[in-house]
Amino acid sequence: MIDLKDLDPASLEAFFAERGEKPFRARQVLRWVHQRFAADVSEMSDLSKSLRDTLCTVAQIKAPEVIRDTTASDGTRKWLLDAGNGNAVESVYIPEDDRGTLCVSSQAGCALDCAFCSTGKQGFNRNLTTGEIVGQLWHANRTLLADGATRPWVEAGRAPITNVVMMGMGEPLANYDAVVPALELFLDDNAYGLSRRRVTLSTSGLVPWIDRLRDDCPVALAVSLHAPDDALRDRLVPINRRHPLDELMAACRRYLERAPRDFITFEYVMLDGVNDQPSHAAALIDRVADVPCKLNLIPFNPFPGSEFRTSPRERVLSFQRQLMDAGIVTTVRRTRGDDIDAACGQLAGQVQDRTKRRLSTRIPVVAR
Ligand code: SAH
Ligand code: SF4
């Protein structure tokens, strides 16, 4: 059985062409699945009965299986979705006054093993399919609507989720072939119809894939920097050993030739005593000097067994001030949903709890 959410607009057209159907069938089905959030082919009332009957025999709309659905006191809502074989992924809804953002996962686990990341500590389980990636947006919109979401743009007929950030579990560029069709669906007018500026992909710095993304589907790009020099970044973000900073910065400059925003967002997790000193800020200012960028400082979110501490608030603010004084727009990410462990880098905590026995052999024991 085909999951219709696995097919990007071009594949869906090819799917219908093979069956002797016109291209507009693809557009109709896209709208049913991604705008009306149909859960079954039988709902598609403007397709002929015979087409619906044949479609039912080969295709379905596979709804994600929700293991847990938690809402934090600030309205942040987290869905833990089954990924089979004892694995699960999370997607997080972050409501704000003027937008609804969904933080989407791309892999169950992650192979890149950044030192401060809970998902990395879990190890790599598997890539999500396009259907599972898009399914997170489908599920969030569908559920929020069913729950009677009352945002001004929803009342005007738009979907509750207005922005997508690929910042959940996994490294999206390490699952390129499933992620790009998902991005195409986020952008397509017959599907989610989001502008390229409202779709952000965050990467730890897989340089060749940054170049491919620029050519295939340039959405807004966030790059997880976390250190101003190679020695420190090698330690915090091990992929840096393969693609060091000079190479990464050059890729960022190339990306901006096609990017929907004229800046890169650099993410920088603030680790007490590790990368948060005035000397680090000074080196960072030099490092990003020739890349139009914004800096987003992320207070480190601890998780059980993590070896790092969160930088004191004062240090984060003076780090921010130093960058701002050098003319770099710098924001400090507000921690959302911390009472349900939904903040950056905390995703997967529950997965570990749920599968503790099986995973315990693979989670590196962190001293201290
Ligand atoms: N794999 C991608 C996207 C997922 S992580 C990437 O690394 O960019 C999204 C962001 O959260 C990244 O910037 C990541 O470095 C950061 N992050 C990971 N663990 C964190 C933690 N414990 N506290 C704060 N931020 C964290
Ligand atoms: Fe993977 Fe990103 Fe976590 Fe690094 S920070 S381990 S790339 S999910």
Side-chain angles (χ1 to χ4, degrees):
M1 268 304 221
I2 287 175
D3 180 3
L4 287 173
K5 292 191 275 72
D6 268 324
L7 303 182
D8 68 7
S11 314
L12 199 58
E13 257 187 44
F15 173 87
F16 281 110
E18 275 165 28
R19 287 162 178 79
E21 295 285 345
K22 296 267 183 328
F24 78 90
R25 293 293 180 208
R27 294 194 290 275
Q28 276 180 309
V29 169
L30 280 176
R31 289 196 291 266
W32 274 108
V33 177
H34 303 289
Q35 297 187 348
R36 299 187 194 166
F37 315 114
D40 200 288
V41 171
S42 61
E43 291 175 42
M44 302 180 181
S45 52
D46 55 3
L47 302 187
S48 69
K49 174 85 170 62
S50 66
L51 179 55
R52 257 183 286 156
D53 288 346
T54 24
L55 206 51
C56 277
T57 62
V58 289
Q60 60 176 342
I61 303 149
K62 224 169 137 198
E65 211 178 296
V66 180
I67 298 171
R68 198 177 305 140
D69 174 349
T70 338
T71 304
S73 49
D74 64 5
T76 302
R77 184 166 176 180
K78 182 170 80 168
W79 290 282
L80 183 68
L81 307 172
D82 193 13
N85 292 327
N87 300 313
V89 295
E90 295 177 320
S91 50
V92 180
Y93 165 60
I94 306 151
E96 288 173 281
D97 289 347
D98 59 343
R99 69 184 72 180
T101 302
L102 190 72
C103 180
V104 169
S105 293
S106 56
Q107 300 181 306
C110 182
L112 298 187
D113 200 23
C114 298
F116 47 81
C117 175
S118 164
T119 307
K121 295 295 159 220
Q122 184 192 342
F124 176 70
N125 296 309
R126 72 169 174 86
N127 281 328
L128 298 187
T129 62
T130 298
E132 289 171 323
I133 296 167
V134 173
Q136 297 169 56
L137 183 52
W138 179 87
H139 171 77
N141 275 323
R142 194 167 191 271
T143 309
L144 293 167
L145 282 175
D147 291 354
T150 53
R151 318 302 300 280
W153 58 90
V154 175
E155 270 140 44
R158 285 169 52 213
I161 304 293
T162 60
N163 292 60
V164 171
V165 293
M166 304 252 5
M167 292 185 184
M169 293 165 66
E171 166 53 53
L173 294 185
N175 184 14
Y176 192 84
D177 290 344
V179 165
V180 169
L183 297 176
E184 302 284 2
L185 285 165
F186 295 160
L187 302 176
D188 193 275
D189 281 340
N190 291 299
Y192 296 92
L194 302 177
S195 81
R196 290 179 189 277
R197 289 166 170 268
R198 288 180 178 270
V199 178
T200 301
L201 181 143
S202 174
T203 178
S204 56
L206 269 63
V207 167
W209 303 97
I210 293 177
D211 284 325
R212 280 195 64 185
L213 188 69
R214 160 188 178 269
D215 296 333
D216 293 341
C217 191
V219 293
L221 188 68
V223 173
S224 296
L225 206 52
H226 308 320
D229 63 80
D230 283 321
L232 183 56
R233 195 162 190 272
D234 280 354
R235 203 149 68 71
L236 298 178
V237 186
I239 193 70
N240 194 68
R241 296 172 204 159
R242 201 180 313 161
H243 303 296
L245 280 165
D246 281 348
E247 222 186 278
L248 177 59
M249 293 297 138
C252 289
R253 284 193 297 274
R254 287 193 296 276
Y255 196 85
L256 288 174
E257 293 163 14
R258 294 279 302 276
R261 291 182 181 273
D262 46 12
F263 60 87
I264 302 282
T265 301
F266 287 122
E267 296 159 281
Y268 195 99
V269 63
M270 297 293 288
L271 305 169
D272 183 20
V274 174
N275 65 352
D276 63 351
Q277 302 299 307
S279 59
H280 295 117
L284 187 57
I285 291 163
D286 285 346
R287 175 56 73 182
V288 303
D290 52 2
V291 182
C293 65
K294 289 187 180 171
L295 245 296
N296 190 214
L297 305 179
I298 315 175
F300 170 65
N301 294 306
F303 53 90
S306 61
E307 63 184 296
F308 299 104
R309 286 181 310 266
T310 312
S311 302
R313 185 82 189 156
E314 233 343 281
R315 185 130 16 98
V316 176
L317 295 178
S318 61
F319 199 91
Q320 178 189 30
R321 215 169 307 121
Q322 196 174 338
L323 291 161
M324 296 282 273
D325 287 347
I328 301 169
V329 174
T330 306
T331 49
V332 178
R333 188 172 296 173
R334 193 153 62 99
T335 298
R336 297 290 305 255
D338 49 354
D339 51 341
I340 58 163
D341 285 348
C344 307
Q346 287 182 324
L347 305 186
Q350 281 76 0
V351 189
Q352 287 172 11
D353 293 344
R354 209 172 132 257
T355 55
K356 205 175 266 154
R357 275 188 32 235
R358 204 179 55 76
L359 280 168
S360 57
T361 49
R362 286 191 291 127
I363 301 169
V365 180
V366 184
R368 254 187 291 176

